[in-house]
Amino acid sequence: MDVSKTKSSFYRRLYVAYLIDSGLASNIPALTEATGMPRRTAQDTVAALADLDIICEFEQEKGARNHAGQYRIRDWGAIDRGWIEQNLEPIKTVLGYP
């Protein structure tokens, strides 16, 4: 299946936001494990969520060092999280994720 770069980038952002919000992968190591994407791609994808008006913030663990903590989705903006849940399998198929 031929998928445009724009569509795969959009779906990747939606999927990462979903993983963070659902608690399945709320930090970079967990995202790389869940998706198989390289660390830098995961970092760039989280940073790019703001382009979709998805507000994602990092919460540092109290007393922890070296950026130990997790991301939280504070606001989905215009994105419908329910649509993502309903279309999770097609999204993963487009992205080639298990």
Side-chain angles (χ1 to χ4, degrees):
M1 173 171 45
D2 221 11
V3 178
S4 74
K5 220 173 159 179
T6 301
K7 185 173 189 172
S8 63
S9 175
F10 180 66
Y11 276 12
R12 184 177 307 107
R13 292 175 192 186
L14 294 180
Y15 188 57
V16 164
Y18 171 79
L19 290 173
I20 291 169
D21 196 48
S22 64
L24 296 172
S26 58
N27 58 39
I28 298 302
L31 286 170
T32 60
E33 185 176 328
T35 62
M37 70 176 71
R39 179 179 189 80
R40 185 67 194 167
T41 303
Q43 291 170 324
D44 290 347
T45 303
V46 170
L49 294 177
D51 292 343
L52 300 178
D53 290 331
I54 296 174
I55 298 171
C56 181
E57 297 174 347
F58 186 77
E59 293 179 347
Q60 181 80 22
E61 287 180 19
K62 291 184 181 180
R65 296 170 40 185
N66 300 328
H67 303 288
Q70 59 189 356
Y71 289 99
R72 295 252 189 240
I73 302 296
R74 297 288 180 213
D75 191 332
W76 281 90
I79 304 297
D80 179 6
R81 185 185 189 280
W83 183 89
I84 299 168
E85 285 180 315
Q86 293 171 3
N87 292 280
L88 209 49
E89 289 308 313
I91 289 170
K92 288 168 50 175
T93 298
V94 165
L95 296 172
Y97 296 158

